[in-house]
Amino acid sequence: MAAQIAGARIALVTGANKGIGYEIARALLEQGSVVLLGCRDRNKGRSAAERLAAARGAGSAVALDLDVTRPSSIAAAARDIEAMYGRLDTLVNNAGISVEPRAPPSAVSLERVKQVYETNVFGVIAVTQAMLPLLRRSPAGRIVNMSSSMASLALISDPEAPWSKFGLLGYNTSKTALNALTVMFANELRESGIKVNAGCPGYVSTDINGHSGYRSAAQGAQIALTLANLPHDGATGGFFGDSGPIPW
Ligand code: NAP
């Protein structure tokens, strides 16, 4: 599954200024890709690109203004990529938020749930739709959606499994929706050769969980690399962790 696609690829990683997204960008850079760091804060994006450029890498890192919840920002990013490169080979929909306190579903505010969906679901749909014309020009387009095991209905419906104890109504269900849209885009794009998969990075120490995770961001980035480098006969419409498929 991890065979590498040859040649310099143009890759966009959303939410790349820190955490797992930054490490995905770093790893793609090391492979020789031109990596566009899609960041909603221009200063954080530039700073991240400078840090990556200073590190040794075969490719290049470029900051790109991109707030996945703002249609005008998404459209401008697509225009910039078109003008600069004329195509996109890899899209990693990594930007994600979790803004609700841990609480039973009955106690979660609907506003919080909507806020999470704006980024984790609607943001992914909007960015994917805007970038698809550019991805269609790639000889080997790859879309990777950063999901979570907490999206898995199979896992959270097992009362004995640890995942059933996490009360994050907005986050969990947003990632379940992300998995569903992954399959739908994969089905639409199957004949085009563009592969669309969801990846779970494991429980990673980042700001999103107050650094309670036990994996490093570099470890969490690995599944995105694997799915971004899928060969021509690789999977599409799947949900994977480092150890292989995760049940839906
Ligand atoms: P993180 O450190 O909090 O990073 C999240 C990134 O997303 C930041 O760069 C953030 O930018 C960006 N972002 C948020 N809203 C955005 C928007 N509207 N437009 C553009 N960028 C936006 O979290 P992480 O752990 O690296 O998470 C990365 C992805 O992995 C997420 O999709 C998350 O759900 C998923 N994931 C993480 C874990 C884990 O254990 N950490 C487990 C499973 C899945 P700012 O710096 O501007 O806020």
Side-chain angles (χ1 to χ4, degrees):
M1 185 156 96
Q4 201 167 313
I5 301 167
R9 291 172 60 80
I10 313 299
L12 168 62
V13 182
T14 67
N17 54 283
K18 67 179 183 181
I20 298 167
Y22 180 82
E23 292 299 330
I24 295 169
R26 181 208 294 278
L28 290 170
L29 185 70
E30 283 173 0
Q31 288 187 346
S33 293
V34 174
V35 186
L36 310 174
L37 285 76
C39 304
R40 61 178 165 176
D41 181 307
R42 180 170 293 177
N43 291 330
K44 288 182 188 171
R46 284 187 181 160
S47 161
E50 281 166 18
R51 275 180 283 135
L52 285 174
R56 214 173 291 170
S60 55
V62 180
L64 184 72
D65 292 344
L66 177 56
D67 183 331
V68 304
T69 64
R70 288 185 46 228
S72 59
S73 170
I74 297 168
R79 278 196 304 273
D80 286 350
I81 298 171
E82 157 107 64
M84 287 189 289
Y85 307 103
R87 72 171 205 281
L88 187 64
D89 299 299
T90 302
L91 168 62
V92 183
N93 286 308
N94 166 79
I97 61 169
S98 176
V99 292
E100 56 200 306
R102 206 165 275 187
S106 57
V108 175
S109 114
L110 182 58
E111 284 313 308
R112 288 285 193 211
V113 175
K114 287 181 178 176
Q115 189 184 347
V116 173
Y117 272 60
E118 281 296 335
T119 301
N120 296 8
V121 182
F122 307 139
V124 174
I125 294 173
V127 171
T128 302
Q129 289 179 339
M131 300 302 161
L132 262 179
L134 297 164
L135 284 156
R136 286 184 189 278
R137 295 184 196 155
S138 169
R142 301 288 180 264
I143 300 174
V144 181
N145 294 329
M146 292 307 283
S147 185
S148 165
S149 292
M150 294 202 286
S152 166
L153 297 179
L155 295 177
I156 68 166
S157 59
D158 175 359
E160 300 306 317
W163 295 274
S164 67
K165 311 286 191 293
F166 285 105
L168 290 171
L169 180 67
Y171 185 79
N172 288 16
T173 62
S174 75
K175 295 296 187 181
T176 309
L178 177 67
N179 282 358
L181 73 88
T182 298
V183 174
M184 293 196 69
F185 274 103
N187 287 342
E188 178 187 348
L189 297 169
R190 200 173 296 274
E191 300 306 318
S192 74
I194 300 173
K195 299 189 182 303
V196 191
N197 289 289
C200 173
Y203 192 27
V204 176
S205 171
T206 66
D207 287 349
I208 207 170
N209 54 30
H211 292 267
S212 57
Y214 50 80
R215 303 192 84 204
S216 70
Q219 288 173 316
Q222 187 52 51
I223 187 60
L225 265 286
T226 301
L227 298 175
N229 287 324
L230 285 173
H232 182 66
D233 59 354
T236 191
F239 180 27
F240 300 96
D242 285 343
S243 306
I246 298 173
W248 296 112

